[in-house]
Amino acid sequence: MTWLITGGAGYIGAHVARAMAAAGEPVLALDDLSAGVRARLPRDIPLVQGSSLDGDLLKRILTEHSVTGVVHLAARKQVGESVAEPTRYYQENVGGLATLLDAVAQAGVRRFVLSSSAAVYGNPDADLITEDTPCAPMSPYGETKLAGEWLVRAAGRAHGIATVCLRYFNVAGAASPELADTGVFNVVPMVFDRLTRGEAPRIFGDDYPTPDGTCVRDYIHVADLADAHLAAARHLAADGAEGDLTVNIGRGEGVSVRELVTLIGEVTGDRRPALVEPRRPGDAPRAVASAGLAAEALGWRARRGLREMVESAWQGWLLHRGG
């Protein structure tokens, strides 16, 4: 089998490409390099620069490289940006997926893994979020991920494509420093950024109905997430694989924002007290995955803990930011 990985030079995509290649799966990366970095991929993984909105390019790639499966990660993913630019998010996240699925169907590709998100759930009132928890996304980003799942399942039924949708929770860490996330959009790099500038980390709200009053989240190491994509690909490659599967990817363990900030202080050696600010609109008090189905259906479980996520992310921050 040959797997096309869209967004393959991105933070998550490069981890997935490397994990699959290391496991002996032939892979090919597609990335427009708007957020991806070519240097994240080793030379033995081919990279085609282009967009999932380019149908002619996709058809050519799928045919010329005899692609038999696709892992689709290329998408815009910032919640705030999606609120400001909803049409752009729908065009790229849903339109790009539709263009890709058209090319996949025409090329006779029969295996498809979609990068989805826990953002599809919105703000559920649940101790553990299962795959059956009702979806009520609270941002255009989350809406595009849910619409993407619908589209993947519909295309799968129409064209005989076996599909897996991976709904992953909060991603952190790096398999090696050079692969670390270079953006400042998620909580771990946001705290690093504040500390590097000599400022106190911020906590948005400490009056939630949680043990310490701060939001509780489920964090997953990006290397574990990459292994989950490999498990999904191999599930689809097994003899007789058919139908569709949707699974949560998380550790099933909740960590409060205050606990996370305290751990970051220990790892970085900068233990200055956090500054508590008002709640942000839309933040759920608790969002923790039920991870049982991933273990049952894919044979996958997270192996890395929160300290390893923070330590590896910090090493990557120091490499890229020169701290």
Side-chain angles (χ1 to χ4, degrees):
M1 290 194 65
T2 297
W3 289 90
L4 171 65
I5 302 175
T6 70
Y11 164 53
I12 295 173
H15 278 90
V16 173
R18 283 173 174 256
M20 292 183 66
E25 301 287 346
V27 298
L28 165 73
L30 172 72
D31 202 296
D32 65 6
L33 300 182
S34 60
V37 180
R38 185 183 296 273
R40 285 190 175 125
L41 292 172
R43 292 182 179 180
D44 58 348
I45 296 181
L47 172 65
V48 177
Q49 185 172 350
S51 169
S52 57
L53 289 163
D54 188 340
D56 291 338
L57 174 64
L58 293 171
K59 293 169 188 174
R60 185 167 70 250
I61 291 172
L62 294 173
T63 301
E64 290 181 355
H65 293 271
S66 301
V67 170
T68 48
V70 172
V71 178
H72 182 52
L73 295 109
R76 304 203 68 82
K77 61 178 184 177
Q78 302 306 325
V79 170
E81 184 182 62
S82 78
V83 174
E85 303 181 59
T87 55
R88 182 183 186 188
Y89 268 67
Y90 272 86
Q91 180 183 30
E92 295 194 24
N93 290 6
V94 181
L97 175 59
T99 302
L100 175 60
L101 286 168
D102 273 341
V104 161
Q106 291 182 36
V109 177
R110 292 294 177 259
R111 299 166 182 88
F112 197 96
V113 179
L114 176 69
S115 162
S116 189
S117 167
V120 300
Y121 295 114
N123 187 358
D125 182 13
D127 186 53
L128 288 178
I129 298 173
T130 74
E131 290 79 3
D132 293 326
T133 298
C135 293
M138 299 178 67
S139 69
Y141 166 70
E143 292 167 4
T144 64
K145 285 300 184 180
L146 184 56
E149 290 186 7
W150 295 339
L151 183 55
V152 164
R153 296 186 195 109
R157 292 190 296 269
H159 303 293
I161 304 168
T163 65
V164 176
C165 297
L166 300 179
R167 292 174 175 170
Y168 37 88
F169 283 63
N170 298 270
V171 185
S176 57
E178 66 273 14
L179 295 181
D181 190 1
T182 56
V184 188
F185 304 107
N186 300 316
V187 61
V188 173
M190 286 173 68
V191 174
F192 290 165
D193 183 55
R194 297 279 294 186
L195 295 178
T196 300
R197 291 189 282 116
E199 300 174 356
R202 293 185 295 179
I203 292 176
F204 295 98
D206 65 351
D207 58 349
Y208 287 94
T210 60
D212 67 12
T214 67
C215 293
V216 173
R217 296 290 182 265
D218 191 334
Y219 296 91
I220 179 77
H221 196 297
V222 66
D224 281 331
L225 178 60
D227 290 341
H229 285 80
L230 172 63
R234 289 191 162 169
H235 168 80
L236 293 179
D239 291 340
E242 59 183 20
D244 67 84
L245 179 65
T246 299
V247 295
N248 289 334
I249 302 298
R251 290 190 305 142
E253 300 178 11
V255 177
S256 76
V257 174
R258 190 174 293 282
E259 289 173 328
L260 177 62
V261 170
T262 298
L263 177 57
I264 292 174
E266 294 175 6
V267 169
T268 63
D270 190 333
R271 294 177 171 85
R272 73 186 70 204
L275 175 65
V276 177
E277 298 190 356
R279 294 185 183 191
R280 295 180 302 187
D283 277 348
R286 178 180 173 88
V288 180
S290 170
L293 183 58
E296 176 185 343
L298 301 178
W300 173 91
R301 290 184 185 275
R303 298 186 291 111
R304 300 162 178 88
L306 187 66
R307 180 172 289 272
E308 187 172 349
M309 293 181 222
V310 173
E311 290 177 344
S312 62
W314 180 237
Q315 291 303 312
W317 180 269
L318 292 177
L319 174 66
H320 293 291
R321 300 282 174 161

